[in-house]
Amino acid sequence: MNMKPHAAMLFVLGLAVMSPTYAADRKDMMEEKAEARYDASKDSAKHNYEMAKDNCKKMSGNAKDVCMKDAKAAYVEAKSQAKADEKSAKNQAEANEDTMKAQYKAAKERCDSLSGQAKDTCVSEAKHKYQQ
């Protein structure tokens, strides 16, 4: 009895079971990276703000007041930009996932014109290519 077709079918089934998880994991990974970048940007902004405030303390009068307000404005701007970047990265991860799903559905539909092993291979390749 030839076991190669059976082993190949198990491999294809394994890919089919694992692939949806992979796509979800990829999205989660992209979101985690976005959060890590956000945290690093916030920390950097806080550090820069503290340094700027220390420089302002060397001044006096209105110059000191202006310096402190400028330092605060730069800090708020940096935090706001970091938050916008994080949201953008998370939205991009979601858009990538949506695109992959739509492309997979279109590829799977093209496979419907085939039959037998050719169709199975086509569907398997589509799942792999579009990480479904």
Side-chain angles (χ1 to χ4, degrees):
M1 181 174 176
N2 187 352
M3 293 299 287
K4 286 185 181 182
H6 180 68
M9 184 57 91
L10 287 176
F11 177 73
V12 169
L13 289 173
L15 285 177
V17 170
M18 291 173 29
S19 293
T21 303
Y22 176 77
D25 288 346
R26 182 173 174 193
K27 180 183 174 199
D28 290 344
M29 182 180 68
M30 290 176 73
E31 289 178 349
E32 287 172 10
K33 283 183 179 181
E35 289 171 10
R37 282 192 304 271
Y38 171 66
D39 290 341
S41 294
K42 275 193 331 184
D43 292 344
S44 177
K46 180 75 169 173
H47 176 73
N48 291 343
Y49 178 51
E50 295 300 327
M51 289 180 61
K53 286 194 317 184
D54 288 343
N55 287 336
C56 294
K57 289 177 183 177
K58 299 173 188 170
M59 300 175 184
S60 62
N62 190 49
K64 180 178 179 180
D65 294 342
V66 169
C67 182
M68 294 294 275
K69 295 292 183 183
D70 285 343
K72 181 69 174 187
Y75 174 60
V76 169
E77 179 184 3
K79 281 189 355 179
S80 297
Q81 187 60 52
K83 187 160 189 81
D85 290 346
E86 179 195 29
K87 287 181 179 181
S88 178
K90 285 184 175 184
N91 288 339
Q92 185 61 52
E94 188 172 324
N96 288 348
E97 183 180 46
D98 292 346
T99 299
M100 294 294 267
K101 284 180 182 178
Q103 289 175 338
Y104 167 69
K105 287 178 181 179
K108 190 174 169 197
E109 188 66 31
R110 284 190 292 278
C111 295
D112 284 348
S113 67
L114 305 171
S115 63
Q117 184 63 35
K119 182 176 181 176
D120 294 343
T121 300
C122 180
V123 170
S124 176
E125 288 173 357
K127 285 181 180 181
H128 179 71
K129 182 176 181 178
Y130 298 109
Q131 301 167 358
Q132 297 298 310

PDB file of all heavy atoms in Angstrom, residues 102-115 118-119 122-123 126 129-130:
ATOM      1  N   ALA A 102     -10.479  38.406   1.497  1.00  0.00           N
ATOM      2  CA  ALA A 102     -11.171  38.658   0.230  1.00  0.00           C
ATOM      3  C   ALA A 102     -10.426  38.017  -0.935  1.00  0.00           C
ATOM      4  O   ALA A 102     -11.051  37.415  -1.827  1.00  0.00           O
ATOM      5  CB  ALA A 102     -11.323  40.161  -0.002  1.00  0.00           C
ATOM      6  N   GLN A 103      -9.114  38.125  -0.936  1.00  0.00           N
ATOM      7  CA  GLN A 103      -8.329  37.511  -2.005  1.00  0.00           C
ATOM      8  C   GLN A 103      -8.442  35.990  -1.960  1.00  0.00           C
ATOM      9  O   GLN A 103      -8.503  35.339  -3.006  1.00  0.00           O
ATOM     10  CB  GLN A 103      -6.866  37.950  -1.906  1.00  0.00           C
ATOM     11  CG  GLN A 103      -6.656  39.392  -2.272  1.00  0.00           C
ATOM     12  CD  GLN A 103      -5.229  39.863  -2.056  1.00  0.00           C
ATOM     13  OE1 GLN A 103      -4.479  39.292  -1.280  1.00  0.00           O
ATOM     14  NE2 GLN A 103      -4.869  40.933  -2.756  1.00  0.00           N
ATOM     15  N   TYR A 104      -8.491  35.440  -0.758  1.00  0.00           N
ATOM     16  CA  TYR A 104      -8.656  33.989  -0.628  1.00  0.00           C
ATOM     17  C   TYR A 104     -10.009  33.551  -1.192  1.00  0.00           C
ATOM     18  O   TYR A 104     -10.089  32.565  -1.933  1.00  0.00           O
ATOM     19  CB  TYR A 104      -8.534  33.564   0.840  1.00  0.00           C
ATOM     20  CG  TYR A 104      -8.992  32.157   1.067  1.00  0.00           C
ATOM     21  CD1 TYR A 104      -8.269  31.071   0.566  1.00  0.00           C
ATOM     22  CD2 TYR A 104     -10.163  31.890   1.767  1.00  0.00           C
ATOM     23  CE1 TYR A 104      -8.701  29.771   0.754  1.00  0.00           C
ATOM     24  CE2 TYR A 104     -10.597  30.592   1.961  1.00  0.00           C
ATOM     25  CZ  TYR A 104      -9.867  29.538   1.457  1.00  0.00           C
ATOM     26  OH  TYR A 104     -10.307  28.253   1.648  1.00  0.00           O
ATOM     27  N   LYS A 105     -11.061  34.275  -0.869  1.00  0.00           N
ATOM     28  CA  LYS A 105     -12.387  33.916  -1.369  1.00  0.00           C
ATOM     29  C   LYS A 105     -12.428  33.959  -2.897  1.00  0.00           C
ATOM     30  O   LYS A 105     -13.023  33.083  -3.530  1.00  0.00           O
ATOM     31  CB  LYS A 105     -13.458  34.841  -0.785  1.00  0.00           C
ATOM     32  CG  LYS A 105     -13.741  34.562   0.677  1.00  0.00           C
ATOM     33  CD  LYS A 105     -14.782  35.523   1.233  1.00  0.00           C
ATOM     34  CE  LYS A 105     -15.039  35.246   2.709  1.00  0.00           C
ATOM     35  NZ  LYS A 105     -16.022  36.172   3.272  1.00  0.00           N
ATOM     36  N   ALA A 106     -11.776  34.964  -3.481  1.00  0.00           N
ATOM     37  CA  ALA A 106     -11.732  35.056  -4.946  1.00  0.00           C
ATOM     38  C   ALA A 106     -10.931  33.895  -5.536  1.00  0.00           C
ATOM     39  O   ALA A 106     -11.346  33.286  -6.533  1.00  0.00           O
ATOM     40  CB  ALA A 106     -11.116  36.391  -5.372  1.00  0.00           C
ATOM     41  N   ALA A 107      -9.803  33.570  -4.923  1.00  0.00           N
ATOM     42  CA  ALA A 107      -8.981  32.463  -5.415  1.00  0.00           C
ATOM     43  C   ALA A 107      -9.733  31.134  -5.278  1.00  0.00           C
ATOM     44  O   ALA A 107      -9.691  30.291  -6.186  1.00  0.00           O
ATOM     45  CB  ALA A 107      -7.665  32.401  -4.646  1.00  0.00           C
ATOM     46  N   LYS A 108     -10.426  30.970  -4.173  1.00  0.00           N
ATOM     47  CA  LYS A 108     -11.193  29.743  -3.952  1.00  0.00           C
ATOM     48  C   LYS A 108     -12.313  29.617  -4.995  1.00  0.00           C
ATOM     49  O   LYS A 108     -12.591  28.525  -5.484  1.00  0.00           O
ATOM     50  CB  LYS A 108     -11.764  29.738  -2.541  1.00  0.00           C
ATOM     51  CG  LYS A 108     -12.354  28.416  -2.137  1.00  0.00           C
ATOM     52  CD  LYS A 108     -12.775  28.437  -0.683  1.00  0.00           C
ATOM     53  CE  LYS A 108     -13.591  27.220  -0.373  1.00  0.00           C
ATOM     54  NZ  LYS A 108     -14.337  27.335   0.850  1.00  0.00           N
ATOM     55  N   GLU A 109     -12.915  30.735  -5.330  1.00  0.00           N
ATOM     56  CA  GLU A 109     -13.966  30.721  -6.357  1.00  0.00           C
ATOM     57  C   GLU A 109     -13.380  30.284  -7.700  1.00  0.00           C
ATOM     58  O   GLU A 109     -14.021  29.547  -8.452  1.00  0.00           O
ATOM     59  CB  GLU A 109     -14.610  32.106  -6.470  1.00  0.00           C
ATOM     60  CG  GLU A 109     -15.821  32.143  -7.368  1.00  0.00           C
ATOM     61  CD  GLU A 109     -16.994  31.323  -6.834  1.00  0.00           C
ATOM     62  OE1 GLU A 109     -17.171  31.196  -5.605  1.00  0.00           O
ATOM     63  OE2 GLU A 109     -17.754  30.788  -7.679  1.00  0.00           O
ATOM     64  N   ARG A 110     -12.177  30.751  -8.014  1.00  0.00           N
ATOM     65  CA  ARG A 110     -11.525  30.317  -9.261  1.00  0.00           C
ATOM     66  C   ARG A 110     -11.271  28.813  -9.243  1.00  0.00           C
ATOM     67  O   ARG A 110     -11.325  28.160 -10.275  1.00  0.00           O
ATOM     68  CB  ARG A 110     -10.208  31.074  -9.470  1.00  0.00           C
ATOM     69  CG  ARG A 110     -10.397  32.502  -9.950  1.00  0.00           C
ATOM     70  CD  ARG A 110      -9.096  33.148 -10.383  1.00  0.00           C
ATOM     71  NE  ARG A 110      -8.179  33.391  -9.283  1.00  0.00           N
ATOM     72  CZ  ARG A 110      -8.232  34.437  -8.461  1.00  0.00           C
ATOM     73  NH1 ARG A 110      -9.184  35.334  -8.620  1.00  0.00           N
ATOM     74  NH2 ARG A 110      -7.358  34.582  -7.501  1.00  0.00           N
ATOM     75  N   CYS A 111     -11.017  28.258  -8.087  1.00  0.00           N
ATOM     76  CA  CYS A 111     -10.775  26.817  -7.956  1.00  0.00           C
ATOM     77  C   CYS A 111     -12.042  26.005  -8.233  1.00  0.00           C
ATOM     78  O   CYS A 111     -11.957  24.824  -8.582  1.00  0.00           O
ATOM     79  CB  CYS A 111     -10.261  26.483  -6.555  1.00  0.00           C
ATOM     80  SG  CYS A 111      -8.645  27.184  -6.155  1.00  0.00           S
ATOM     81  N   ASP A 112     -13.202  26.613  -8.050  1.00  0.00           N
ATOM     82  CA  ASP A 112     -14.462  25.894  -8.238  1.00  0.00           C
ATOM     83  C   ASP A 112     -14.653  25.393  -9.668  1.00  0.00           C
ATOM     84  O   ASP A 112     -15.437  24.473  -9.906  1.00  0.00           O
ATOM     85  CB  ASP A 112     -15.652  26.763  -7.838  1.00  0.00           C
ATOM     86  CG  ASP A 112     -15.809  26.866  -6.324  1.00  0.00           C
ATOM     87  OD1 ASP A 112     -15.137  26.079  -5.604  1.00  0.00           O
ATOM     88  OD2 ASP A 112     -16.585  27.725  -5.859  1.00  0.00           O
ATOM     89  N   SER A 113     -13.932  25.979 -10.608  1.00  0.00           N
ATOM     90  CA  SER A 113     -14.058  25.504 -11.994  1.00  0.00           C
ATOM     91  C   SER A 113     -13.284  24.199 -12.206  1.00  0.00           C
ATOM     92  O   SER A 113     -13.428  23.558 -13.241  1.00  0.00           O
ATOM     93  CB  SER A 113     -13.551  26.571 -12.968  1.00  0.00           C
ATOM     94  OG  SER A 113     -12.158  26.754 -12.814  1.00  0.00           O
ATOM     95  N   LEU A 114     -12.498  23.801 -11.241  1.00  0.00           N
ATOM     96  CA  LEU A 114     -11.709  22.567 -11.330  1.00  0.00           C
ATOM     97  C   LEU A 114     -12.421  21.461 -10.585  1.00  0.00           C
ATOM     98  O   LEU A 114     -13.416  21.689  -9.895  1.00  0.00           O
ATOM     99  CB  LEU A 114     -10.315  22.808 -10.733  1.00  0.00           C
ATOM    100  CG  LEU A 114      -9.511  23.978 -11.324  1.00  0.00           C
ATOM    101  CD1 LEU A 114      -8.262  24.222 -10.499  1.00  0.00           C
ATOM    102  CD2 LEU A 114      -9.171  23.714 -12.771  1.00  0.00           C
ATOM    103  N   SER A 115     -11.877  20.247 -10.704  1.00  0.00           N
ATOM    104  CA  SER A 115     -12.461  19.126  -9.963  1.00  0.00           C
ATOM    105  C   SER A 115     -11.355  18.177  -9.529  1.00  0.00           C
ATOM    106  O   SER A 115     -10.232  18.221 -10.036  1.00  0.00           O
ATOM    107  CB  SER A 115     -13.491  18.386 -10.820  1.00  0.00           C
ATOM    108  OG  SER A 115     -12.865  17.822 -11.954  1.00  0.00           O
ATOM    109  N   ALA A 118      -6.989  18.364  -8.811  1.00  0.00           N
ATOM    110  CA  ALA A 118      -6.631  19.713  -9.266  1.00  0.00           C
ATOM    111  C   ALA A 118      -7.323  20.770  -8.406  1.00  0.00           C
ATOM    112  O   ALA A 118      -6.711  21.775  -8.027  1.00  0.00           O
ATOM    113  CB  ALA A 118      -7.007  19.895 -10.731  1.00  0.00           C
ATOM    114  N   LYS A 119      -8.594  20.535  -8.079  1.00  0.00           N
ATOM    115  CA  LYS A 119      -9.329  21.473  -7.237  1.00  0.00           C
ATOM    116  C   LYS A 119      -8.753  21.479  -5.828  1.00  0.00           C
ATOM    117  O   LYS A 119      -8.557  22.548  -5.234  1.00  0.00           O
ATOM    118  CB  LYS A 119     -10.812  21.121  -7.202  1.00  0.00           C
ATOM    119  CG  LYS A 119     -11.636  22.089  -6.367  1.00  0.00           C
ATOM    120  CD  LYS A 119     -13.111  21.778  -6.431  1.00  0.00           C
ATOM    121  CE  LYS A 119     -13.894  22.782  -5.617  1.00  0.00           C
ATOM    122  NZ  LYS A 119     -15.335  22.558  -5.729  1.00  0.00           N
ATOM    123  N   CYS A 122      -5.546  23.345  -5.864  1.00  0.00           N
ATOM    124  CA  CYS A 122      -5.828  24.769  -6.050  1.00  0.00           C
ATOM    125  C   CYS A 122      -6.269  25.403  -4.730  1.00  0.00           C
ATOM    126  O   CYS A 122      -5.760  26.464  -4.337  1.00  0.00           O
ATOM    127  CB  CYS A 122      -6.892  24.948  -7.126  1.00  0.00           C
ATOM    128  SG  CYS A 122      -7.321  26.668  -7.459  1.00  0.00           S
ATOM    129  N   VAL A 123      -7.197  24.776  -4.046  1.00  0.00           N
ATOM    130  CA  VAL A 123      -7.702  25.295  -2.772  1.00  0.00           C
ATOM    131  C   VAL A 123      -6.583  25.322  -1.739  1.00  0.00           C
ATOM    132  O   VAL A 123      -6.417  26.311  -1.002  1.00  0.00           O
ATOM    133  CB  VAL A 123      -8.907  24.468  -2.268  1.00  0.00           C
ATOM    134  CG1 VAL A 123      -9.278  24.855  -0.840  1.00  0.00           C
ATOM    135  CG2 VAL A 123     -10.097  24.653  -3.194  1.00  0.00           C
ATOM    136  N   ALA A 126      -4.280  28.157  -2.461  1.00  0.00           N
ATOM    137  CA  ALA A 126      -4.926  29.431  -2.123  1.00  0.00           C
ATOM    138  C   ALA A 126      -4.890  29.664  -0.613  1.00  0.00           C
ATOM    139  O   ALA A 126      -4.597  30.776  -0.150  1.00  0.00           O
ATOM    140  CB  ALA A 126      -6.362  29.453  -2.634  1.00  0.00           C
ATOM    141  N   LYS A 129      -1.301  30.583   0.239  1.00  0.00           N
ATOM    142  CA  LYS A 129      -0.909  31.910  -0.279  1.00  0.00           C
ATOM    143  C   LYS A 129      -1.569  33.031   0.504  1.00  0.00           C
ATOM    144  O   LYS A 129      -0.938  34.048   0.790  1.00  0.00           O
ATOM    145  CB  LYS A 129      -1.293  32.006  -1.771  1.00  0.00           C
ATOM    146  CG  LYS A 129      -0.886  33.328  -2.390  1.00  0.00           C
ATOM    147  CD  LYS A 129      -1.192  33.359  -3.888  1.00  0.00           C
ATOM    148  CE  LYS A 129      -0.745  34.683  -4.500  1.00  0.00           C
ATOM    149  NZ  LYS A 129      -0.988  34.711  -5.929  1.00  0.00           N
ATOM    150  N   TYR A 130      -2.825  32.852   0.854  1.00  0.00           N
ATOM    151  CA  TYR A 130      -3.581  33.921   1.526  1.00  0.00           C
ATOM    152  C   TYR A 130      -3.723  33.681   3.025  1.00  0.00           C
ATOM    153  O   TYR A 130      -4.520  34.331   3.686  1.00  0.00           O
ATOM    154  CB  TYR A 130      -4.936  34.119   0.854  1.00  0.00           C
ATOM    155  CG  TYR A 130      -4.756  34.543  -0.586  1.00  0.00           C
ATOM    156  CD1 TYR A 130      -5.053  33.670  -1.632  1.00  0.00           C
ATOM    157  CD2 TYR A 130      -4.226  35.786  -0.902  1.00  0.00           C
ATOM    158  CE1 TYR A 130      -4.863  34.051  -2.942  1.00  0.00           C
ATOM    159  CE2 TYR A 130      -4.024  36.166  -2.215  1.00  0.00           C
ATOM    160  CZ  TYR A 130      -4.343  35.295  -3.227  1.00  0.00           C
ATOM    161  OH  TYR A 130      -4.138  35.668  -4.532  1.00  0.00           O
TER     162      TYR A 130
END
